[in-house]
Amino acid sequence: QVQLEESGGGLVQAGGSLRLSCAASGRAFSRYTKGWFRQAPGKEREFVAAINWSGGYTSYADSVKGRFTISRDNAKNTVYLQMTSLKPEDTAVYYCAADNSGVVGTNTRRYDYWGQGTQVTVSS
């Protein structure tokens, strides 16, 4: 079983930065693909970024490419999402997710474990 807990959300002005963290507990965390997703009010949950177990492969949604960076520290059982040049349209609840299939996927159905989410609000 893997339990995930996000932190680092908050209110920021457009153009600002935030770093989200996702701490994991449970066995075999280091072998799981980790992903970040987000859900804005009235919209479906969407893929943001994902990283393979070693950190050697990453994937990003086009909307965040060049602005967001996903990374992980397996020694600390933590995955990060560094967000820069934030825009009002980045406002959403951000969720961390884990998948033990070994595939770096963008579909929510691939991921087995989810955190409770952290709110990110970007003001214009």
Side-chain angles (χ1 to χ4, degrees):
Q1 187 76 12
V2 174
Q3 293 181 318
L4 307 172
E5 183 173 1
E6 304 92 339
S7 62
L11 174 64
V12 64
Q13 288 188 332
S17 300
L18 280 175
R19 188 176 81 156
L20 305 183
S21 299
C22 174
S25 60
R27 58 189 177 94
F29 163 80
S30 62
R31 307 299 294 184
Y32 282 56
T33 293
K34 302 303 288 296
W36 285 98
F37 292 77
R38 66 187 182 187
Q39 188 166 17
K43 295 188 177 180
E44 292 188 354
R45 193 169 297 188
E46 64 176 6
F47 170 75
V48 175
I51 189 168
N52 76 331
W53 71 271
S54 69
Y57 180 82
T58 57
S59 178
Y60 295 93
D62 288 342
S63 60
V64 307
K65 203 170 291 184
R67 299 188 298 123
F68 291 10
T69 302
I70 189 171
S71 62
R72 66 190 296 165
D73 185 338
N74 287 339
K76 296 182 178 179
N77 289 345
T78 302
V79 63
Y80 305 97
L81 185 69
Q82 178 68 50
M83 305 185 294
T84 63
S85 301
L86 283 161
K87 305 175 181 180
E89 51 263 44
D90 294 318
T91 295
V93 177
Y94 283 70
Y95 297 91
C96 176
D99 166 37
N100 66 354
S101 71
V103 176
V104 180
T106 63
N107 193 311
T108 57
R109 291 191 295 269
R110 177 170 292 281
Y111 290 80
D112 305 300
Y113 304 100
W114 292 85
Q116 294 299 307
T118 185
Q119 176 71 46
V120 171
T121 302
V122 184
S123 63
S124 57

